[in-house]
Amino acid sequence: MVKEAANNTGPLSTPESASVSDTLGVAASLRLHWPEYLMEAGEMTLFMFCTCSFATLLQHPASPVRHFFVSGTVRRALMGLGVGATVIALIMSPWGRRSGGHINPAMTFAFYRLGKIAPWDALFYGMAQFSGATSGVALATFLLRGAPGNGAVRYAVTAPGVYGAAVAFAAELAISFILMITVLLVTNHDRLVRYTPYFVGSLYAVNITFETPLSGMSMNPARTFGPAAYGGYWHTLWIYFIAPTVGMLAAAAVFRRARHAAPPYCAKLHHANNKRCIFRHDP
C-alpha cells in the first residue's frame, strides 16, 4: 500500500527510474527538475518568513502579544504551534506534495544517502533551501520594517542556550535523529503514512516549546543559515550544520539496519497525491 501511494503520481507524472536519474547531468537536471527546485526554495522562503514573523510578534518589545503572555514557556508554546502549523501546511501544499516538502538540507542529504535522490537533485535542493531561507528572512525584515532585527528577536536566530555549545550540539543531534527516524518510520507504514505532515509538525511544536532553551531549536542548517547570514551570527554556525546532518544520517543508518538494508519507498513527506515525483522508487 505504501509503495502504491508513493508511486501514485498521475498519468502525466510517471516516477523516473533510478537508471534515468543516474544518467542526468547538471544541465538535464536543471532543465527537467527546475520546478521542484524552485518550489523547495519557495517553501523555505515561506517557512522562514513565518518563523521571523512569529518571533517578532511574540518577542518584540513593542508587540502587545509579548506583554500579554509574560511566561517564556507560553510564548515558546505559541511559537511552536505557529511553526508546527506552518510546516504541516507547507508539506500538504501543492508545492510540498510535488517537491517532497523537505525544507531541510540535512533531510535531503539523508534521503540521498538512502539512495532516494539523485546527486544533482540533492545538490540543487540544498542550494534552493539555503537561498530560500535567506530570502525568507530578508522578506520578513522588509515587510515588517526591520522589526525582526530588534535585539529581542535577532531574526529568529538559533544559538546555544545557557548550558553551552556542547549541550546544544548534543540536543540538536538528538532532536534531528528523532525527526528523521520518525519521518522514515511513518512514511513507510501503511496506516500512518497519510499522517506524516502531522507527525513532523507536532515534533516541531514540541521541540520549540521544550528544547529551545538548550540550542535554539533548529534541526536544519538552512534555517540557521538564513538568520546568521542576515544578522551576522556566525560564531556557532558549525553546530547547526554538523549536528542535524549527523543526527539524520544516523537515523537513516538505523532505519536501513532495522529493515535489513531495504531502502524507504520514496523521499516525499506526502506520498499519496497526483503530483510528479522526481525521486527514485523501488521496482
Side-chain angles (χ1 to χ4, degrees):
M1 292 175 62
V2 174
K3 187 183 297 185
E4 293 173 356
N7 290 291
N8 181 20
T9 55
L12 300 178
S13 53
T14 304
E16 298 171 6
S17 67
S19 60
V20 172
S21 297
D22 288 339
T23 61
L24 291 179
V26 57
S29 297
L30 281 170
R31 178 172 56 85
L32 296 174
H33 298 164
W34 65 265
E36 281 77 7
Y37 306 153
L38 288 183
M39 289 174 187
E40 197 72 11
E43 293 158 36
M44 196 70 211
T45 298
L46 290 173
F47 174 77
M48 286 309 303
F49 171 78
C50 291
T51 297
C52 288
S53 298
F54 295 144
T56 302
L57 181 66
L58 292 166
Q59 299 292 347
H60 197 283
S63 172
V65 177
R66 176 185 173 93
H67 298 289
F68 186 79
F69 296 103
V70 179
S71 170
T73 303
V74 172
R75 290 201 300 269
R76 290 197 305 272
L78 292 173
M79 181 76 177
L81 289 174
V83 173
T86 300
V87 170
I88 293 171
L90 289 173
I91 295 172
M92 298 184 69
S93 69
W95 287 0
R97 293 184 182 200
R98 180 161 168 174
S99 77
H102 297 178
I103 56 172
N104 189 332
M107 182 175 291
T108 297
F109 187 60
F111 276 121
Y112 163 72
R113 292 292 297 165
L114 286 165
K116 296 288 98 180
I117 302 178
W120 286 118
D121 288 333
L123 175 63
F124 288 125
Y125 260 49
M127 294 172 61
Q129 290 152 352
F130 278 105
S131 62
T134 307
S135 299
V137 177
L139 181 63
T141 303
F142 174 75
L143 293 180
L144 298 177
R145 300 187 177 185
N150 182 273
V153 183
R154 296 196 304 164
Y155 304 104
V157 67
T158 53
V162 295
Y163 300 104
V167 171
F169 186 95
E172 282 293 316
L173 191 149
I175 61 177
S176 299
F177 177 93
I178 293 171
L179 174 63
M180 191 68 202
I181 199 68
T182 299
V183 166
L184 290 171
L185 292 175
V186 174
T187 56
N188 289 274
H189 191 284
D190 287 342
R191 295 182 179 179
L192 298 179
V193 60
R194 69 185 66 181
Y195 303 112
T196 303
Y198 302 103
F199 276 90
V200 174
S202 297
L203 282 175
Y204 269 86
V206 170
N207 286 334
I208 288 173
T209 302
F210 298 107
E211 195 279 337
T212 296
L214 300 181
S215 74
M217 216 309 282
S218 174
M219 302 191 295
N220 186 332
R223 182 260 178 269
T224 295
F225 179 82
Y230 212 80
Y233 305 109
W234 301 109
H235 59 291
T236 56
L237 190 66
W238 63 274
I239 293 175
Y240 305 96
F241 272 62
I242 298 175
T245 304
V246 172
M248 292 194 182
L249 288 175
V254 170
F255 177 81
R256 285 291 297 267
R257 180 176 291 273
R259 285 166 55 94
H260 305 289
Y265 293 122
C266 183
K268 280 189 174 183
L269 272 63
H270 188 289
H271 287 283
N273 59 70
N274 62 354
K275 304 296 183 182
R276 180 175 79 161
C277 185
I278 66 173
F279 301 127
R280 298 170 176 174
H281 300 84
D282 293 336

